[in-house]
PDB file of all heavy atoms in Angstrom:
ATOM      1  N   GLU A 385      -3.235  -6.809  15.614  1.00 49.00           N
ATOM      2  CA  GLU A 385      -4.688  -6.781  15.643  1.00 49.00           C
ATOM      3  C   GLU A 385      -5.153  -6.339  17.021  1.00 49.00           C
ATOM      4  O   GLU A 385      -4.428  -6.442  17.995  1.00 49.00           O
ATOM      5  CB  GLU A 385      -5.273  -8.123  15.250  1.00 49.00           C
ATOM      6  CG  GLU A 385      -4.706  -9.289  16.030  1.00 49.00           C
ATOM      7  CD  GLU A 385      -5.150 -10.615  15.475  1.00 49.00           C
ATOM      8  OE1 GLU A 385      -4.590 -11.060  14.478  1.00 49.00           O
ATOM      9  OE2 GLU A 385      -6.062 -11.190  16.066  1.00 49.00           O
ATOM     10  N   GLU A 386      -6.388  -5.866  17.093  1.00 47.00           N
ATOM     11  CA  GLU A 386      -6.938  -5.360  18.355  1.00 47.00           C
ATOM     12  C   GLU A 386      -7.874  -6.409  18.949  1.00 47.00           C
ATOM     13  O   GLU A 386      -8.614  -7.062  18.232  1.00 47.00           O
ATOM     14  CB  GLU A 386      -7.713  -4.072  18.115  1.00 47.00           C
ATOM     15  CG  GLU A 386      -6.829  -2.922  17.747  1.00 47.00           C
ATOM     16  CD  GLU A 386      -7.645  -1.672  17.474  1.00 47.00           C
ATOM     17  OE1 GLU A 386      -8.878  -1.717  17.543  1.00 47.00           O
ATOM     18  OE2 GLU A 386      -7.022  -0.653  17.189  1.00 47.00           O
ATOM     19  N   GLY A 387      -7.870  -6.492  20.279  1.00 43.00           N
ATOM     20  CA  GLY A 387      -8.846  -7.324  20.972  1.00 43.00           C
ATOM     21  C   GLY A 387      -8.620  -8.799  20.804  1.00 43.00           C
ATOM     22  O   GLY A 387      -7.727  -9.248  20.107  1.00 43.00           O
ATOM     23  N   CYS A 388      -9.464  -9.570  21.485  1.00 36.00           N
ATOM     24  CA  CYS A 388      -9.362 -11.021  21.455  1.00 36.00           C
ATOM     25  C   CYS A 388     -10.531 -11.642  20.716  1.00 36.00           C
ATOM     26  O   CYS A 388     -10.508 -12.816  20.409  1.00 36.00           O
ATOM     27  CB  CYS A 388      -9.341 -11.572  22.873  1.00 36.00           C
ATOM     28  SG  CYS A 388      -8.127 -10.817  23.927  1.00 36.00           S
ATOM     29  N   GLY A 389     -11.568 -10.876  20.473  1.00 36.00           N
ATOM     30  CA  GLY A 389     -12.792 -11.444  19.915  1.00 36.00           C
ATOM     31  C   GLY A 389     -12.824 -11.437  18.410  1.00 36.00           C
ATOM     32  O   GLY A 389     -13.777 -10.982  17.812  1.00 36.00           O
ATOM     33  N   GLY A 390     -11.818 -11.915  17.774  1.00 35.00           N
ATOM     34  CA  GLY A 390     -11.801 -11.963  16.322  1.00 35.00           C
ATOM     35  C   GLY A 390     -10.880 -10.917  15.734  1.00 35.00           C
ATOM     36  O   GLY A 390     -10.392 -10.041  16.426  1.00 35.00           O
ATOM     37  N   PHE A 391     -10.679 -11.012  14.466  1.00 35.00           N
ATOM     38  CA  PHE A 391      -9.718 -10.151  13.780  1.00 35.00           C
ATOM     39  C   PHE A 391     -10.318  -8.792  13.500  1.00 35.00           C
ATOM     40  O   PHE A 391     -11.352  -8.689  12.845  1.00 35.00           O
ATOM     41  CB  PHE A 391      -9.270 -10.824  12.483  1.00 35.00           C
ATOM     42  CG  PHE A 391      -8.283 -10.017  11.719  1.00 35.00           C
ATOM     43  CD1 PHE A 391      -7.001  -9.855  12.202  1.00 35.00           C
ATOM     44  CD2 PHE A 391      -8.632  -9.400  10.542  1.00 35.00           C
ATOM     45  CE1 PHE A 391      -6.076  -9.100  11.516  1.00 35.00           C
ATOM     46  CE2 PHE A 391      -7.706  -8.646   9.851  1.00 35.00           C
ATOM     47  CZ  PHE A 391      -6.434  -8.497  10.331  1.00 35.00           C
ATOM     48  N   GLN A 392      -9.704  -7.763  14.003  1.00 42.00           N
ATOM     49  CA  GLN A 392     -10.058  -6.383  13.702  1.00 42.00           C
ATOM     50  C   GLN A 392      -8.935  -5.818  12.834  1.00 42.00           C
ATOM     51  O   GLN A 392      -7.785  -5.887  13.248  1.00 42.00           O
ATOM     52  CB  GLN A 392     -10.171  -5.551  14.980  1.00 42.00           C
ATOM     53  CG  GLN A 392     -11.205  -6.058  15.958  1.00 42.00           C
ATOM     54  CD  GLN A 392     -12.603  -5.765  15.464  1.00 42.00           C
ATOM     55  OE1 GLN A 392     -12.849  -4.723  14.881  1.00 42.00           O
ATOM     56  NE2 GLN A 392     -13.511  -6.694  15.671  1.00 42.00           N
ATOM     57  N   PRO A 393      -9.204  -5.291  11.693  1.00 47.00           N
ATOM     58  CA  PRO A 393      -8.114  -4.851  10.811  1.00 47.00           C
ATOM     59  C   PRO A 393      -7.673  -3.398  11.019  1.00 47.00           C
ATOM     60  O   PRO A 393      -7.884  -2.555  10.162  1.00 47.00           O
ATOM     61  CB  PRO A 393      -8.709  -5.034   9.417  1.00 47.00           C
ATOM     62  CG  PRO A 393     -10.185  -4.802   9.609  1.00 47.00           C
ATOM     63  CD  PRO A 393     -10.486  -5.294  11.007  1.00 47.00           C
ATOM     64  N   PRO A 394      -7.049  -3.061  12.154  1.00 48.00           N
ATOM     65  CA  PRO A 394      -6.603  -1.689  12.330  1.00 48.00           C
ATOM     66  C   PRO A 394      -5.412  -1.367  11.449  1.00 48.00           C
ATOM     67  O   PRO A 394      -5.042  -0.231  11.299  1.00 48.00           O
ATOM     68  CB  PRO A 394      -6.206  -1.651  13.805  1.00 48.00           C
ATOM     69  CG  PRO A 394      -5.742  -3.036  14.082  1.00 48.00           C
ATOM     70  CD  PRO A 394      -6.656  -3.911  13.258  1.00 48.00           C
ATOM     71  N   TRP A 395      -4.833  -2.367  10.861  1.00 50.00           N
ATOM     72  CA  TRP A 395      -3.614  -2.183  10.095  1.00 50.00           C
ATOM     73  C   TRP A 395      -3.858  -1.731   8.677  1.00 50.00           C
ATOM     74  O   TRP A 395      -2.948  -1.362   7.984  1.00 50.00           O
ATOM     75  CB  TRP A 395      -2.803  -3.468  10.094  1.00 50.00           C
ATOM     76  CG  TRP A 395      -3.579  -4.679   9.700  1.00 50.00           C
ATOM     77  CD1 TRP A 395      -4.202  -5.552  10.524  1.00 50.00           C
ATOM     78  CD2 TRP A 395      -3.820  -5.152   8.382  1.00 50.00           C
ATOM     79  NE1 TRP A 395      -4.816  -6.526   9.813  1.00 50.00           N
ATOM     80  CE2 TRP A 395      -4.599  -6.315   8.493  1.00 50.00           C
ATOM     81  CE3 TRP A 395      -3.461  -4.714   7.116  1.00 50.00           C
ATOM     82  CZ2 TRP A 395      -5.020  -7.038   7.388  1.00 50.00           C
ATOM     83  CZ3 TRP A 395      -3.881  -5.430   6.024  1.00 50.00           C
ATOM     84  CH2 TRP A 395      -4.653  -6.577   6.163  1.00 50.00           C
ATOM     85  N   HIS A 396      -5.096  -1.777   8.223  1.00 55.00           N
ATOM     86  CA  HIS A 396      -5.351  -1.395   6.833  1.00 55.00           C
ATOM     87  C   HIS A 396      -4.920   0.042   6.588  1.00 55.00           C
ATOM     88  O   HIS A 396      -5.311   0.944   7.311  1.00 55.00           O
ATOM     89  CB  HIS A 396      -6.838  -1.532   6.477  1.00 55.00           C
ATOM     90  CG  HIS A 396      -7.246  -2.920   6.194  1.00 55.00           C
ATOM     91  ND1 HIS A 396      -6.626  -3.708   5.273  1.00 55.00           N
ATOM     92  CD2 HIS A 396      -8.223  -3.682   6.738  1.00 55.00           C
ATOM     93  CE1 HIS A 396      -7.212  -4.888   5.242  1.00 55.00           C
ATOM     94  NE2 HIS A 396      -8.173  -4.898   6.128  1.00 55.00           N
ATOM     95  N   PRO A 397      -4.134   0.258   5.553  1.00 61.00           N
ATOM     96  CA  PRO A 397      -3.732   1.630   5.243  1.00 61.00           C
ATOM     97  C   PRO A 397      -4.932   2.452   4.787  1.00 61.00           C
ATOM     98  O   PRO A 397      -5.818   1.947   4.136  1.00 61.00           O
ATOM     99  CB  PRO A 397      -2.741   1.474   4.094  1.00 61.00           C
ATOM    100  CG  PRO A 397      -2.494   0.035   3.926  1.00 61.00           C
ATOM    101  CD  PRO A 397      -3.544  -0.715   4.671  1.00 61.00           C
ATOM    102  N   LEU A 398      -4.928   3.708   5.177  1.00 61.00           N
ATOM    103  CA  LEU A 398      -5.935   4.650   4.735  1.00 61.00           C
ATOM    104  C   LEU A 398      -5.264   5.575   3.738  1.00 61.00           C
ATOM    105  O   LEU A 398      -4.336   6.285   4.082  1.00 61.00           O
ATOM    106  CB  LEU A 398      -6.477   5.449   5.921  1.00 61.00           C
ATOM    107  CG  LEU A 398      -7.345   6.657   5.578  1.00 61.00           C
ATOM    108  CD1 LEU A 398      -8.657   6.191   4.967  1.00 61.00           C
ATOM    109  CD2 LEU A 398      -7.604   7.486   6.810  1.00 61.00           C
ATOM    110  N   PHE A 399      -5.701   5.521   2.499  1.00 59.00           N
ATOM    111  CA  PHE A 399      -5.091   6.333   1.457  1.00 59.00           C
ATOM    112  C   PHE A 399      -6.128   7.272   0.866  1.00 59.00           C
ATOM    113  O   PHE A 399      -7.274   6.889   0.693  1.00 59.00           O
ATOM    114  CB  PHE A 399      -4.568   5.478   0.302  1.00 59.00           C
ATOM    115  CG  PHE A 399      -3.456   4.563   0.665  1.00 59.00           C
ATOM    116  CD1 PHE A 399      -3.616   3.208   0.581  1.00 59.00           C
ATOM    117  CD2 PHE A 399      -2.233   5.057   1.087  1.00 59.00           C
ATOM    118  CE1 PHE A 399      -2.585   2.348   0.907  1.00 59.00           C
ATOM    119  CE2 PHE A 399      -1.195   4.209   1.410  1.00 59.00           C
ATOM    120  CZ  PHE A 399      -1.378   2.852   1.323  1.00 59.00           C
ATOM    121  N   THR A 400      -5.686   8.456   0.542  1.00 55.00           N
ATOM    122  CA  THR A 400      -6.457   9.341  -0.300  1.00 55.00           C
ATOM    123  C   THR A 400      -5.517   9.677  -1.446  1.00 55.00           C
ATOM    124  O   THR A 400      -4.624  10.502  -1.305  1.00 55.00           O
ATOM    125  CB  THR A 400      -6.874  10.623   0.448  1.00 55.00           C
ATOM    126  OG1 THR A 400      -7.584  10.247   1.619  1.00 55.00           O
ATOM    127  CG2 THR A 400      -7.751  11.493  -0.414  1.00 55.00           C
ATOM    128  N   PHE A 401      -5.665   8.968  -2.537  1.00 53.00           N
ATOM    129  CA  PHE A 401      -4.755   9.165  -3.654  1.00 53.00           C
ATOM    130  C   PHE A 401      -5.127  10.394  -4.442  1.00 53.00           C
ATOM    131  O   PHE A 401      -6.290  10.704  -4.624  1.00 53.00           O
ATOM    132  CB  PHE A 401      -4.771   7.948  -4.597  1.00 53.00           C
ATOM    133  CG  PHE A 401      -4.147   6.735  -4.010  1.00 53.00           C
ATOM    134  CD1 PHE A 401      -4.888   5.594  -3.824  1.00 53.00           C
ATOM    135  CD2 PHE A 401      -2.824   6.738  -3.617  1.00 53.00           C
ATOM    136  CE1 PHE A 401      -4.323   4.467  -3.279  1.00 53.00           C
ATOM    137  CE2 PHE A 401      -2.240   5.624  -3.074  1.00 53.00           C
ATOM    138  CZ  PHE A 401      -2.991   4.476  -2.894  1.00 53.00           C
ATOM    139  N   SER A 402      -4.109  11.081  -4.881  1.00 55.00           N
ATOM    140  CA  SER A 402      -4.324  12.248  -5.715  1.00 55.00           C
ATOM    141  C   SER A 402      -4.248  11.816  -7.180  1.00 55.00           C
ATOM    142  O   SER A 402      -3.789  10.728  -7.478  1.00 55.00           O
ATOM    143  CB  SER A 402      -3.241  13.281  -5.427  1.00 55.00           C
ATOM    144  OG  SER A 402      -1.980  12.730  -5.743  1.00 55.00           O
ATOM    145  N   PRO A 403      -4.676  12.652  -8.090  1.00 50.00           N
ATOM    146  CA  PRO A 403      -4.612  12.287  -9.503  1.00 50.00           C
ATOM    147  C   PRO A 403      -3.180  12.220 -10.043  1.00 50.00           C
ATOM    148  O   PRO A 403      -2.957  11.747 -11.130  1.00 50.00           O
ATOM    149  CB  PRO A 403      -5.405  13.389 -10.204  1.00 50.00           C
ATOM    150  CG  PRO A 403      -5.477  14.513  -9.249  1.00 50.00           C
ATOM    151  CD  PRO A 403      -5.329  13.932  -7.878  1.00 50.00           C
ATOM    152  N   HIS A 404      -2.201  12.670  -9.245  1.00 56.00           N
ATOM    153  CA  HIS A 404      -0.807  12.643  -9.689  1.00 56.00           C
ATOM    154  C   HIS A 404      -0.333  11.203  -9.833  1.00 56.00           C
ATOM    155  O   HIS A 404      -0.523  10.382  -8.957  1.00 56.00           O
ATOM    156  CB  HIS A 404       0.077  13.376  -8.684  1.00 56.00           C
ATOM    157  CG  HIS A 404       1.526  13.381  -9.069  1.00 56.00           C
ATOM    158  ND1 HIS A 404       2.015  14.185 -10.065  1.00 56.00           N
ATOM    159  CD2 HIS A 404       2.568  12.653  -8.622  1.00 56.00           C
ATOM    160  CE1 HIS A 404       3.315  13.967 -10.193  1.00 56.00           C
ATOM    161  NE2 HIS A 404       3.664  13.040  -9.326  1.00 56.00           N
ATOM    162  N   THR A 405       0.266  10.905 -10.956  1.00 60.00           N
ATOM    163  CA  THR A 405       0.796   9.569 -11.189  1.00 60.00           C
ATOM    164  C   THR A 405       2.300   9.665 -11.306  1.00 60.00           C
ATOM    165  O   THR A 405       2.825  10.430 -12.104  1.00 60.00           O
ATOM    166  CB  THR A 405       0.225   8.981 -12.504  1.00 60.00           C
ATOM    167  OG1 THR A 405      -1.196   9.003 -12.412  1.00 60.00           O
ATOM    168  CG2 THR A 405       0.700   7.565 -12.693  1.00 60.00           C
ATOM    169  N   GLY A 406       2.991   8.881 -10.513  1.00 70.00           N
ATOM    170  CA  GLY A 406       4.451   8.857 -10.543  1.00 70.00           C
ATOM    171  C   GLY A 406       4.947   7.892 -11.607  1.00 70.00           C
ATOM    172  O   GLY A 406       4.169   7.235 -12.287  1.00 70.00           O
ATOM    173  N   PRO A 407       6.244   7.786 -11.727  1.00 74.00           N
ATOM    174  CA  PRO A 407       6.824   6.838 -12.681  1.00 74.00           C
ATOM    175  C   PRO A 407       6.420   5.406 -12.332  1.00 74.00           C
ATOM    176  O   PRO A 407       6.166   5.082 -11.178  1.00 74.00           O
ATOM    177  CB  PRO A 407       8.332   7.031 -12.488  1.00 74.00           C
ATOM    178  CG  PRO A 407       8.490   8.327 -11.790  1.00 74.00           C
ATOM    179  CD  PRO A 407       7.238   8.552 -11.010  1.00 74.00           C
ATOM    180  N   ASP A 408       6.376   4.559 -13.319  1.00 76.00           N
ATOM    181  CA  ASP A 408       6.017   3.163 -13.137  1.00 76.00           C
ATOM    182  C   ASP A 408       7.278   2.379 -12.759  1.00 76.00           C
ATOM    183  O   ASP A 408       8.277   2.424 -13.466  1.00 76.00           O
ATOM    184  CB  ASP A 408       5.435   2.618 -14.442  1.00 76.00           C
ATOM    185  CG  ASP A 408       4.910   1.207 -14.296  1.00 76.00           C
ATOM    186  OD1 ASP A 408       4.989   0.639 -13.192  1.00 76.00           O
ATOM    187  OD2 ASP A 408       4.415   0.671 -15.293  1.00 76.00           O
ATOM    188  N   CYS A 409       7.235   1.672 -11.640  1.00 77.00           N
ATOM    189  CA  CYS A 409       8.431   0.950 -11.205  1.00 77.00           C
ATOM    190  C   CYS A 409       8.407  -0.507 -11.629  1.00 77.00           C
ATOM    191  O   CYS A 409       9.321  -1.267 -11.312  1.00 77.00           O
ATOM    192  CB  CYS A 409       8.630   1.080  -9.703  1.00 77.00           C
ATOM    193  SG  CYS A 409       7.352   0.341  -8.695  1.00 77.00           S
ATOM    194  N   ARG A 410       7.405  -0.938 -12.375  1.00 73.00           N
ATOM    195  CA  ARG A 410       7.356  -2.340 -12.795  1.00 73.00           C
ATOM    196  C   ARG A 410       8.534  -2.719 -13.682  1.00 73.00           C
ATOM    197  O   ARG A 410       8.980  -3.852 -13.666  1.00 73.00           O
ATOM    198  CB  ARG A 410       6.042  -2.636 -13.508  1.00 73.00           C
ATOM    199  CG  ARG A 410       4.895  -2.808 -12.539  1.00 73.00           C
ATOM    200  CD  ARG A 410       3.657  -3.143 -13.282  1.00 73.00           C
ATOM    201  NE  ARG A 410       3.211  -1.913 -13.947  1.00 73.00           N
ATOM    202  CZ  ARG A 410       1.976  -1.564 -14.133  1.00 73.00           C
ATOM    203  NH1 ARG A 410       1.021  -2.349 -13.742  1.00 73.00           N
ATOM    204  NH2 ARG A 410       1.654  -0.441 -14.714  1.00 73.00           N
ATOM    205  N   ALA A 411       9.041  -1.765 -14.413  1.00 78.00           N
ATOM    206  CA  ALA A 411      10.196  -2.045 -15.277  1.00 78.00           C
ATOM    207  C   ALA A 411      11.463  -2.277 -14.459  1.00 78.00           C
ATOM    208  O   ALA A 411      12.348  -3.019 -14.881  1.00 78.00           O
ATOM    209  CB  ALA A 411      10.407  -0.901 -16.268  1.00 78.00           C
ATOM    210  N   LEU A 412      11.550  -1.661 -13.290  1.00 81.00           N
ATOM    211  CA  LEU A 412      12.740  -1.790 -12.449  1.00 81.00           C
ATOM    212  C   LEU A 412      12.648  -2.923 -11.437  1.00 81.00           C
ATOM    213  O   LEU A 412      13.645  -3.575 -11.141  1.00 81.00           O
ATOM    214  CB  LEU A 412      12.979  -0.482 -11.678  1.00 81.00           C
ATOM    215  CG  LEU A 412      13.323   0.749 -12.488  1.00 81.00           C
ATOM    216  CD1 LEU A 412      13.354   1.968 -11.590  1.00 81.00           C
ATOM    217  CD2 LEU A 412      14.674   0.551 -13.151  1.00 81.00           C
ATOM    218  N   CYS A 413      11.478  -3.144 -10.887  1.00 87.00           N
ATOM    219  CA  CYS A 413      11.297  -4.112  -9.809  1.00 87.00           C
ATOM    220  C   CYS A 413      10.467  -5.288 -10.319  1.00 87.00           C
ATOM    221  O   CYS A 413       9.392  -5.094 -10.865  1.00 87.00           O
ATOM    222  CB  CYS A 413      10.604  -3.458  -8.628  1.00 87.00           C
ATOM    223  SG  CYS A 413      11.452  -1.979  -8.017  1.00 87.00           S
ATOM    224  N   ALA A 414      10.953  -6.489 -10.073  1.00 80.00           N
ATOM    225  CA  ALA A 414      10.319  -7.705 -10.590  1.00 80.00           C
ATOM    226  C   ALA A 414       8.833  -7.791 -10.242  1.00 80.00           C
ATOM    227  O   ALA A 414       8.012  -8.147 -11.076  1.00 80.00           O
ATOM    228  CB  ALA A 414      11.058  -8.933 -10.070  1.00 80.00           C
ATOM    229  N   GLU A 415       8.485  -7.452  -9.035  1.00 83.00           N
ATOM    230  CA  GLU A 415       7.093  -7.548  -8.602  1.00 83.00           C
ATOM    231  C   GLU A 415       6.319  -6.249  -8.804  1.00 83.00           C
ATOM    232  O   GLU A 415       5.121  -6.213  -8.579  1.00 83.00           O
ATOM    233  CB  GLU A 415       7.037  -7.957  -7.124  1.00 83.00           C
ATOM    234  CG  GLU A 415       7.715  -9.281  -6.823  1.00 83.00           C
ATOM    235  CD  GLU A 415       7.008 -10.459  -7.466  1.00 83.00           C
ATOM    236  OE1 GLU A 415       5.759 -10.442  -7.538  1.00 83.00           O
ATOM    237  OE2 GLU A 415       7.700 -11.384  -7.905  1.00 83.00           O
ATOM    238  N   GLY A 416       7.006  -5.158  -9.139  1.00 86.00           N
ATOM    239  CA  GLY A 416       6.347  -3.877  -9.342  1.00 86.00           C
ATOM    240  C   GLY A 416       6.003  -3.154  -8.055  1.00 86.00           C
ATOM    241  O   GLY A 416       5.082  -2.351  -8.029  1.00 86.00           O
ATOM    242  N   HIS A 417       6.738  -3.452  -6.981  1.00 89.00           N
ATOM    243  CA  HIS A 417       6.509  -2.806  -5.686  1.00 89.00           C
ATOM    244  C   HIS A 417       7.759  -2.017  -5.321  1.00 89.00           C
ATOM    245  O   HIS A 417       8.837  -2.593  -5.204  1.00 89.00           O
ATOM    246  CB  HIS A 417       6.208  -3.839  -4.605  1.00 89.00           C
ATOM    247  CG  HIS A 417       5.108  -4.774  -4.984  1.00 89.00           C
ATOM    248  ND1 HIS A 417       3.796  -4.353  -5.120  1.00 89.00           N
ATOM    249  CD2 HIS A 417       5.114  -6.089  -5.288  1.00 89.00           C
ATOM    250  CE1 HIS A 417       3.054  -5.386  -5.481  1.00 89.00           C
ATOM    251  NE2 HIS A 417       3.830  -6.450  -5.590  1.00 89.00           N
ATOM    252  N   CYS A 418       7.590  -0.683  -5.145  1.00 89.00           N
ATOM    253  CA  CYS A 418       8.775   0.130  -4.889  1.00 89.00           C
ATOM    254  C   CYS A 418       8.466   1.334  -4.015  1.00 89.00           C
ATOM    255  O   CYS A 418       7.327   1.779  -3.924  1.00 89.00           O
ATOM    256  CB  CYS A 418       9.384   0.593  -6.211  1.00 89.00           C
ATOM    257  SG  CYS A 418       8.259   1.557  -7.221  1.00 89.00           S
ATOM    258  N   TRP A 419       9.512   1.835  -3.391  1.00 89.00           N
ATOM    259  CA  TRP A 419       9.452   3.021  -2.546  1.00 89.00           C
ATOM    260  C   TRP A 419       9.908   4.276  -3.287  1.00 89.00           C
ATOM    261  O   TRP A 419       9.739   5.383  -2.805  1.00 89.00           O
ATOM    262  CB  TRP A 419      10.358   2.835  -1.325  1.00 89.00           C
ATOM    263  CG  TRP A 419       9.890   1.796  -0.387  1.00 89.00           C
ATOM    264  CD1 TRP A 419      10.324   0.497  -0.319  1.00 89.00           C
ATOM    265  CD2 TRP A 419       8.913   1.938   0.634  1.00 89.00           C
ATOM    266  NE1 TRP A 419       9.663  -0.156   0.683  1.00 89.00           N
ATOM    267  CE2 TRP A 419       8.798   0.710   1.295  1.00 89.00           C
ATOM    268  CE3 TRP A 419       8.120   3.009   1.057  1.00 89.00           C
ATOM    269  CZ2 TRP A 419       7.921   0.505   2.351  1.00 89.00           C
ATOM    270  CZ3 TRP A 419       7.250   2.808   2.116  1.00 89.00           C
ATOM    271  CH2 TRP A 419       7.156   1.565   2.753  1.00 89.00           C
ATOM    272  N   GLY A 420      10.541   4.092  -4.443  1.00 85.00           N
ATOM    273  CA  GLY A 420      11.071   5.213  -5.206  1.00 85.00           C
ATOM    274  C   GLY A 420      11.357   4.765  -6.619  1.00 85.00           C
ATOM    275  O   GLY A 420      11.044   3.641  -7.013  1.00 85.00           O
ATOM    276  N   GLU A 421      12.018   5.639  -7.383  1.00 82.00           N
ATOM    277  CA  GLU A 421      12.193   5.350  -8.811  1.00 82.00           C
ATOM    278  C   GLU A 421      13.503   4.696  -9.186  1.00 82.00           C
ATOM    279  O   GLU A 421      13.764   4.452 -10.353  1.00 82.00           O
ATOM    280  CB  GLU A 421      11.966   6.617  -9.617  1.00 82.00           C
ATOM    281  CG  GLU A 421      12.783   7.809  -9.190  1.00 82.00           C
ATOM    282  CD  GLU A 421      12.302   9.073  -9.885  1.00 82.00           C
ATOM    283  OE1 GLU A 421      12.130   9.044 -11.123  1.00 82.00           O
ATOM    284  OE2 GLU A 421      12.102  10.073  -9.200  1.00 82.00           O
TER     285      GLU A 421
END
């Protein structure tokens, strides 16, 4: 975090998602969070 005067969220990811949808990894990963297929 930045500064001392409270929480500044510089860590939030900035995404511009495209309409492209990749494979669904929920079937492979218990929590549905993955880096690849």
Side-chain angles (χ1 to χ4, degrees):
E385 52 189 79
E386 291 178 358
C388 308
F391 180 70
Q392 300 287 323
W395 51 265
H396 281 306
L398 169 68
F399 295 116
T400 304
F401 290 119
S402 62
H404 180 75
T405 304
D408 186 0
C409 64
R410 282 182 286 215
L412 295 173
C413 305
E415 301 294 324
H417 308 292
C418 59
W419 292 98
E421 53 190 312

